[in-house]
Amino acid sequence: RSSPIKASSAMANVLVTFDVDGTLIESAGDDANRMHKEAFAHAFKSVLGLDTGIDCVPHHGFTDPLILLAVALHHGIEEARVRACFDELKQSMIDYVRAKTETEGIAFAGKGIRALPGVEDLLKRLKARGLHSGPGRHGAAGGSSDGEGAKQRGRLFVGLGTGNLEPIGWLKMESLGLKPLFTSPPLGGFGTDFMVEALQPHNPQSSRFFFRYLELPRCR
């Protein structure tokens, strides 16, 4: 039997995370997801010598590292070689997008993507909620130091939880003007930090998860 939830003078912090592709944004037009696809192609060419892209394999829902592995295996590259090159492949993608945005501007990151309807409004509302929920002066919510306002309240943090490599995920948000609506400094979990190995979905032993843990500031 569940117990009713009771109000507490010390509420927990709350972390809200969003996936990127298909959740906050969608691909659009002839240049669909251009920056991300070009970054993959650059990494395959510069590190593995492959002249290829990601559309040669099904990759919907894959993390970036898993896409790197799937495409390389598709072209006959030994798995051990791919794994040995993971850091180099990911860094090659990151270096590419940073160089392109430096020379072409942040607009390059926004080519072929757009925010889904309602996303900006939702993020603005969450940001406003976060700004008014943290402990203010003397530890009181909203800066008040007496009455109900003096009760400590949890803080709201908004980040990303995506298979995109971290710089790529944030560049997408920045290019669409959404990055300022997230908690600063930015936080979340990314393809830079973990890979979900699900190439054999019917084999439970083929799925392994690597996560980076987030430690949120305590409400004082």
Side-chain angles (χ1 to χ4, degrees), residues 93-128:
M93 291 178 65
I94 293 169
D95 290 344
Y96 177 82
V97 298
R98 284 176 174 166
K100 290 289 284 188
T101 52
E102 284 180 5
T103 57
E104 298 189 24
I106 192 61
F108 171 75
K111 289 184 177 180
I113 61 173
R114 63 189 175 200
L116 285 165
V119 164
E120 184 175 4
D121 180 60
L122 173 59
L123 291 175
K124 284 180 177 178
R125 292 172 65 183
L126 288 172
K127 183 176 178 65

Side-chain angles (χ1 to χ4, degrees), residues 172-196:
K172 289 179 181 180
M173 295 300 96
E174 184 179 355
S175 71
L176 298 176
L178 300 176
K179 187 176 180 181
L181 302 178
F182 290 85
T183 298
S184 182
L187 75 167
F190 304 88
T192 329
D193 310 310
F194 67 93
M195 177 173 75
V196 180

Side-chain angles (χ1 to χ4, degrees), residues 63 65 90 161-163 189-196 209-212:
T63 61
K90 290 188 288 186
T162 174
F190 304 88
T192 329
D193 310 310
F194 67 93
M195 177 173 75
V196 180
F209 299 81
F210 299 84
F211 293 98
R212 179 180 69 182

Side-chain angles (χ1 to χ4, degrees), residues 9 13 26 28 58 88 135-136 151 159 169 173 195 201:
S9 61
N13 291 325
E26 64 180 354
E88 190 177 357
K151 293 182 179 180
M173 295 300 96
M195 177 173 75

Side-chain angles (χ1 to χ4, degrees), residues 9-216:
S9 61
M11 297 175 65
N13 291 325
V14 175
L15 171 64
V16 179
T17 60
F18 293 95
D19 188 15
V20 173
D21 302 293
T23 300
L24 295 178
I25 69 171
E26 64 180 354
S27 300
D30 295 336
D31 285 332
N33 207 13
R34 177 177 171 181
M35 174 188 69
H36 208 165
K37 288 186 175 183
E38 286 190 6
F40 276 112
H42 174 79
F44 289 130
K45 183 68 173 180
S46 62
V47 179
L48 297 176
L50 294 175
D51 189 7
T52 188
I54 64 175
D55 291 330
C56 62
V57 298
H59 56 269
H60 178 72
F62 282 25
T63 61
D64 283 7
L66 185 55
I67 295 173
L68 289 168
L69 177 60
V71 172
L73 293 178
H74 174 78
H75 288 283
I77 306 295
E78 293 184 0
E79 182 174 347
R81 181 186 171 192
V82 183
R83 291 184 177 279
C85 294
F86 261 150
D87 287 344
E88 190 177 357
L89 284 163
K90 290 188 288 186
Q91 191 60 52
S92 178
M93 291 178 65
I94 293 169
D95 290 344
Y96 177 82
V97 298
R98 284 176 174 166
K100 290 289 284 188
T101 52
E102 284 180 5
T103 57
E104 298 189 24
I106 192 61
F108 171 75
K111 289 184 177 180
I113 61 173
R114 63 189 175 200
L116 285 165
V119 164
E120 184 175 4
D121 180 60
L122 173 59
L123 291 175
K124 284 180 177 178
R125 292 172 65 183
L126 288 172
K127 183 176 178 65
R129 168 67 173 83
L131 289 174
H132 290 90
S133 63
R137 187 180 178 187
H138 305 306
S144 174
S145 58
D146 53 19
E148 289 297 317
K151 293 182 179 180
Q152 293 180 335
R153 298 175 60 191
R155 295 182 61 192
L156 178 65
F157 299 84
V158 183
L160 295 178
T162 174
N164 286 194
L165 298 184
E166 183 171 4
I168 291 177
W170 286 122
L171 281 171
K172 289 179 181 180
M173 295 300 96
E174 184 179 355
S175 71
L176 298 176
L178 300 176
K179 187 176 180 181
L181 302 178
F182 290 85
T183 298
S184 182
L187 75 167
F190 304 88
T192 329
D193 310 310
F194 67 93
M195 177 173 75
V196 180
E197 301 191 47
L199 290 177
Q200 300 173 353
H202 300 296
N203 178 6
Q205 300 302 317
S206 71
S207 296
R208 288 174 289 168
F209 299 81
F210 299 84
F211 293 98
R212 179 180 69 182
Y213 289 93
L214 299 171
E215 183 177 350
L216 299 181

